Amino acid sequence: MWAEGESEGLQTLGIVVVVCSSLKLLHYLGLIDLSDDKIEDELEMTMVCHRPEGLEQLEAQTNFTKRELQVLYRGFKNECPSGVVNEETFKQIYAQFFPHGDASTYAHYLFNAFDTTQTGSVKFEDFVTALSILLRGTVHEKLRWTFNLYDINKDGYINKEEMMDIVKAIYDMMGKYTYPVLKEDTPRQHVDVFFQKMDKNKDGIVTLDEFLESCQEDDNIMRSLQLFQNVM
């Protein structure tokens, strides 16, 4: 049986990985550097000549300024000349950051969360809208986005099978650096911990309301949501 200290917090890991992975994607695409001075320098760049259609609309829909959107768009277009990222490219990006594991399954789930229109590609608008939520959204917005990631079949609930798939995907992505060392029944134990905490009425599924309530009662989760609040 696992000690409480060994099992606590895995339910927060997926939330942290969402934010961290999104930041890694931003860095990989050349949009920001992870050092503080580089981030500041990037925001001081001059305006790009080409302005994407609907920039004012994106400014109204996100928590980014017009100048930040221009910087983001220039980096996105430089690295993605076609203006879109498909799932295969998305998976290749994550493989770069998790060389000791297999990030393909988690990247698949995350790609589907970014691809809100289910077109099979992520456009700049999709990317910046999600990034706005993850970096500067309200607590409810961030948690709703994460719930949607966990709700793999999009039926409005998280069941144990879905959570098991997410946990396994996280462990596969982390590879040999998982701690504690992965045992055969480890994913199931963590799923059980998740449901003991989140499934308030013990009906075998976690609703959005239950997820929101449970997360907001957890100080670790609340702190994790603030990690990259001021990254840009």
Side-chain angles (χ1 to χ4, degrees), residues 91-160:
K91 289 180 177 180
Q92 291 172 5
I93 290 173
Y94 277 84
Q96 299 292 321
F97 289 96
F98 299 95
H100 301 287
D102 179 2
S104 60
T105 302
Y106 190 85
H108 168 72
Y109 297 143
L110 193 57
F111 179 85
N112 286 340
F114 274 91
D115 181 19
T116 56
T117 56
Q118 302 301 303
T119 61
S121 62
V122 173
K123 304 184 297 296
F124 174 71
E125 291 82 355
D126 301 323
F127 178 74
V128 78
T129 299
L131 198 66
S132 173
I133 293 173
L134 292 171
L135 296 184
R136 295 185 179 173
T138 65
V139 167
H140 271 223
E141 288 172 337
K142 292 177 181 180
L143 291 176
R144 284 175 181 272
W145 198 93
T146 305
F147 181 89
N148 182 63
L149 169 68
Y150 290 171
D151 180 18
I152 296 173
N153 65 6
K154 310 307 178 192
D155 64 354
Y157 307 96
I158 301 172
N159 60 43
K160 288 191 175 183

Side-chain angles (χ1 to χ4, degrees), residues 158-160 195 199 201-206:
I158 301 172
N159 60 43
K160 288 191 175 183
F195 271 80
D199 184 11
N201 63 0
K202 308 303 178 187
D203 63 351
I205 58 175
V206 174

